[in-house]
């Protein structure tokens, strides 16, 4: 298996571009122009030139995000192969566009790899990125490859579209709106903590859903598109740091507070089992640091049923877990006895992290 040092940058790039190009046309949404076409909403010029030329559709806003994964900071190579790493890189960015209610369209990839890295690993990384993007309607239109001496990293810049003025924000929540979340918050954090605490034993089939939530999260773009069609979302954020932290962030941006009803949270026996194995309180896993890439939204009261029905049609777990309140900056938890206390705050701060891995 040749390494980057053996084939050189030009040949490595050629192989990466060849991989990306093969899928480029197929991922352009039906009705849109293909490369070089003069119609709107198209990749006018894709990877291979000095820069890509993109043409947003008329009446749309361009929505942009970027995120990087750094070896030993965001992932452990022993737990994540190249293709899974690529899928994860795509998902963390897709998740940010989902949180804006934006349809993903175009991506730029930047990779920092050691010269001893096998070229096939890079091709697998790129394939992982491209396939995850393609599933949500986006394509790679360019990239950059650079040699590093230390930790490897990969970075994605993702562009998407919303109808003009229709992008969701964190600041639109109003008192009385429902708070709803997809999936099972806390599972990714539980998976990473199991892997760190148990090592190989965390690969047992029992823990697989948690390890997968950590290593192979899926994007909630289809759910976001379905909710956008209902027109009831008033604010949104993706759970990338943890349920409590991201909810507090959305409330803060909106100048509101929240009360979460413990009884409405999805039952998660496996998370409780993980908490026992780790010797921590279940709520520490459920609300604490966890990059789940689930969608956390507030809904105008009248739109609740339609949004829950839309999620159900997709087969995505999604439901109301609380309500927005006027008590600015205050996030409460109401337990099964009706007692209310402040929600244990968590969330991940990259510069204050106790653990090097998330
Ligand atoms: Mg985000």
């Amino acid at each position: 298996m040749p390494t980057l040092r053996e084939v050189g940058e030009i040949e490595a790039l050629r192989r990466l571009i060849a991989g990306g190009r093969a899928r480029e046309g197929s991922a352009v949404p039906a009705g849109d122009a293909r490369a070089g076409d003069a119609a709107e909403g198209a990749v006018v010029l894709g990877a291979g030139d000095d820069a890509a030329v993109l043409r947003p559709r008329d009446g749309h806003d361009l929505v942009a995000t970027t995120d990087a994964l750094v070896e030993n900071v965001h992932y452990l190579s022993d737990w994540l192969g190249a293709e899974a790493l690529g899928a994860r890189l795509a998902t963390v960015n897709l998740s940010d566009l989902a949180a804006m209610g934006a349809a993903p369209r175009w991506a730029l990839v930047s990779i920092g790899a050691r010269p001893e890295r096998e070229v096939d690993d890079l091709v697998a990384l790129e394939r992982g990125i491209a396939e995850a993007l393609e599933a949500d309607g986006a394509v790679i239109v360019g990239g950059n490859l650079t040699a590093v001496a230390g930790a490897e990293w990969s970075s994605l810049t993702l562009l998407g579209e919303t109808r003009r003025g229709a992008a969701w924000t964190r600041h639109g929540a109003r008192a009385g709106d429902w708070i709803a979340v997809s999936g099972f918050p806390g599972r990714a954090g539980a998976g990473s903590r199991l892997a760190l605490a148990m090592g190989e034993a965390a690969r047992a089939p029992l823990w697989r859903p948690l390890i997968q939530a950590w290593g192979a999260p899926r994007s909630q773009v289809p759910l976001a598109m379905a909710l956008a069609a209902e027109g009831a979302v008033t604010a949104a954020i993706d759970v990338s740091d943890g349920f409590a932290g991201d909810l507090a962030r959305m409330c803060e941006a909106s100048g509101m507070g929240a009360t979460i009803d413990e009884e409405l949270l999805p039952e998660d026996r496996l998370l409780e089992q993980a908490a026992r194995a780790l010797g921590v309180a279940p709520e520490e896993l459920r609300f604490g640091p966890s990059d789940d890439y689930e969608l956390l939204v507030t809904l105008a009261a009248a739109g609740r049923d339609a949004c829950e029905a839309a999620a159900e049609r997709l087969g995505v777990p999604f439901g109301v877990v609380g309500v927005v309140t006027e008590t600015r900056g205050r996030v409460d938890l109401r337990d099964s006895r009706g007692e209310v206390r402040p929600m244990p705050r968590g969330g991940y701060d990259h510069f204050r992290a106790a653990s090097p891995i998330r």
Side-chain angles (χ1 to χ4, degrees), residues 295-346:
L295 195 56
L296 178 59
V297 298
T298 58
L299 305 172
R304 172 181 179 167
D305 291 349
C307 286
E308 287 184 334
E312 202 172 331
R313 283 195 296 275
L314 283 175
V316 176
F318 173 82
V320 164
V321 295
V323 68
V324 179
T325 64
E326 276 171 1
T327 50
R328 178 174 190 149
R330 184 178 168 146
V331 177
D332 285 332
L333 191 61
R334 182 190 294 123
D335 67 20
S336 53
R337 297 181 305 276
E339 281 172 30
V340 175
R341 62 198 159 96
M343 175 176 279
R345 268 194 79 148

Side-chain angles (χ1 to χ4, degrees), residues 55-336:
R55 192 169 300 159
R57 283 176 287 184
D58 268 354
H60 284 68
D61 288 332
L62 209 50
V63 182
T65 188
T66 189
D67 214 335
L69 294 181
V70 181
E71 187 181 22
N72 299 328
V73 176
H74 300 99
Y75 65 96
L76 298 168
S77 310
D78 286 355
W79 285 85
L80 213 54
E83 191 163 343
L85 177 64
R88 184 181 169 79
L89 178 64
T91 299
V92 303
N93 283 278
L94 289 164
S95 182
D96 276 332
L97 286 198
M100 303 300 290
R105 301 298 304 277
W106 306 303
L108 298 163
V109 186
S110 202
I111 297 169
R114 288 185 289 271
E116 309 78 52
R117 171 65 57 196
E118 288 177 7
V119 179
D120 282 358
D121 283 346
L122 283 195
V123 172
L125 174 75
E126 198 266 359
R127 184 169 59 240
I129 296 170
E131 286 178 2
L133 289 175
E134 184 175 335
D136 284 336
V139 289
I140 296 171
V141 295
N144 176 56
L145 180 59
T146 189
V148 296
E152 298 190 317
W153 52 266
S154 51
S155 172
L156 194 83
T157 297
L158 184 61
L159 303 174
E161 293 176 319
T162 61
R163 276 183 297 100
R164 189 164 293 164
W168 298 339
T169 66
R170 296 177 180 184
H171 62 251
R174 292 296 166 256
D177 288 352
W178 297 112
I179 297 166
V181 69
S182 66
F184 299 90
R187 285 195 159 198
S192 72
R193 288 177 70 160
L194 287 172
L196 284 172
M198 296 181 177
E200 288 302 306
R203 295 191 200 268
L206 168 66
W207 304 122
R208 194 170 293 146
L210 303 183
I211 296 296
Q212 269 182 353
W214 170 44
R218 62 177 182 171
S219 110
Q220 292 297 352
V221 166
L223 174 64
M225 297 297 95
L227 296 180
E230 300 300 333
V233 172
T234 53
I237 191 169
D238 66 317
V239 180
S240 55
D241 292 337
F243 181 83
D246 288 312
L247 175 60
R249 216 168 271 174
M250 183 165 63
C251 287
E252 183 61 38
S254 296
M256 293 284 141
T259 300
I260 297 300
D261 212 319
E262 218 161 27
E263 298 234 290
L264 293 178
L265 290 164
E267 192 173 342
D268 197 342
R269 290 265 164 81
L270 190 56
L271 193 82
E272 287 164 17
Q273 208 168 340
R276 281 196 295 277
L278 290 163
V280 300
E283 64 181 33
E284 188 179 327
L285 293 183
R286 179 167 260 182
F287 304 129
S290 186
D291 45 349
D292 297 299
Y293 302 108
E294 296 293 351
L295 195 56
L296 178 59
V297 298
T298 58
L299 305 172
R304 172 181 179 167
D305 291 349
C307 286
E308 287 184 334
E312 202 172 331
R313 283 195 296 275
L314 283 175
V316 176
F318 173 82
V320 164
V321 295
V323 68
V324 179
T325 64
E326 276 171 1
T327 50
R328 178 174 190 149
R330 184 178 168 146
V331 177
D332 285 332
L333 191 61
R334 182 190 294 123
D335 67 20
S336 53

Side-chain angles (χ1 to χ4, degrees), residues 24 33-56 62 106-108 139-142 159:
E24 188 171 287
R34 293 297 169 89
D37 206 312
E40 54 151 338
V43 178
V44 180
L45 189 62
D49 214 299
D50 291 294
V53 180
L54 310 168
R55 192 169 300 159
L62 209 50
W106 306 303
L108 298 163
V139 289
I140 296 171
V141 295
L159 303 174

